[in-house]
Amino acid sequence: MSRASSLLVAALLASACNSKSAPSPSEVAQPVELKRQAAPTQPSAPSPADPSAAHTQSAAPAERQFGAAPTLAGDPVPVSAVLAAPEPHVGKTIKCEGKVARVCQAAGCWLELQPEAGGEGLRVPMAAHAFFIPQDAVGQLAVVEGELKRRDLPDAQKAHYAGEGMKAMGPLSLEATSVVLR
């Protein structure tokens, strides 16, 4: 139901509760009209003659945050650097950045983080299924905080992940506590 329809229904109910007769059409339309006047107006489109105006009005895509709030300061480590030299990071909580290559299509309980240029990905399960990632995250940049772990997956777990579309079956995983999609 649209906001205008909701307001119309609310006005009808409020008017009906306060009077013994049905409200007139002008009484019903009044709250909707007031709402329209109070709503912010959209900025007009930039003039084609002023290309700088188009740049200043384009908004950056909104970030979406999942799990706990990010806590680590500083720049994230590119996932390509983590995959190339994981040892300094294993067993530590890190902030890692990359492109979302895949997301669990069953529940959003894992994602694969890969370098922006493509290539091998890093398995990123959502820590203890504490939160989930939407399937529309594929292709977005992500900053993930969590503990980098090294452990071989049992065959049954590999089969389970493969059934959900995962390809990153290596021993590295980043147990996500926070994911910010950009």
Side-chain angles (χ1 to χ4, degrees), residues 14-165:
S15 295
C17 290
N18 292 330
S19 70
K20 295 188 191 306
S21 62
S24 70
S26 63
E27 291 172 327
V28 173
Q30 187 174 359
V32 174
E33 289 301 316
L34 291 174
K35 183 65 178 173
R36 283 191 199 137
Q37 292 170 358
T41 59
Q42 295 293 329
S44 61
S47 161
D50 185 7
S52 65
H55 178 66
T56 59
Q57 288 189 3
S58 65
E63 289 187 345
R64 297 187 291 170
Q65 193 263 320
F66 302 90
T71 59
L72 298 176
D75 292 332
V77 178
V79 69
S80 57
V82 171
L83 290 169
E87 291 313 315
H89 307 289
V90 173
K92 296 179 181 169
T93 299
I94 64 170
K95 180 168 35 171
C96 186
E97 182 176 48
K99 180 178 74 174
V100 178
R102 286 168 204 68
V103 173
C104 171
Q105 293 300 298
C109 58
W110 57 260
L111 63 84
E112 280 187 45
L113 198 63
Q114 73 179 178
E116 287 187 62
E120 182 182 355
L122 176 63
R123 185 174 62 256
V124 181
M126 303 310 118
H129 287 85
F131 62 99
F132 302 96
I133 301 298
Q135 285 89 2
D136 70 355
V138 173
Q140 291 184 293
L141 290 179
V143 175
V144 179
E145 284 187 11
E147 183 181 352
L148 185 67
K149 295 182 177 184
R150 179 188 296 275
R151 124 181 129 82
D152 289 322
L153 288 174
D155 289 339
Q157 188 68 42
K158 284 182 182 179
H160 173 79
Y161 280 150
E164 295 176 340

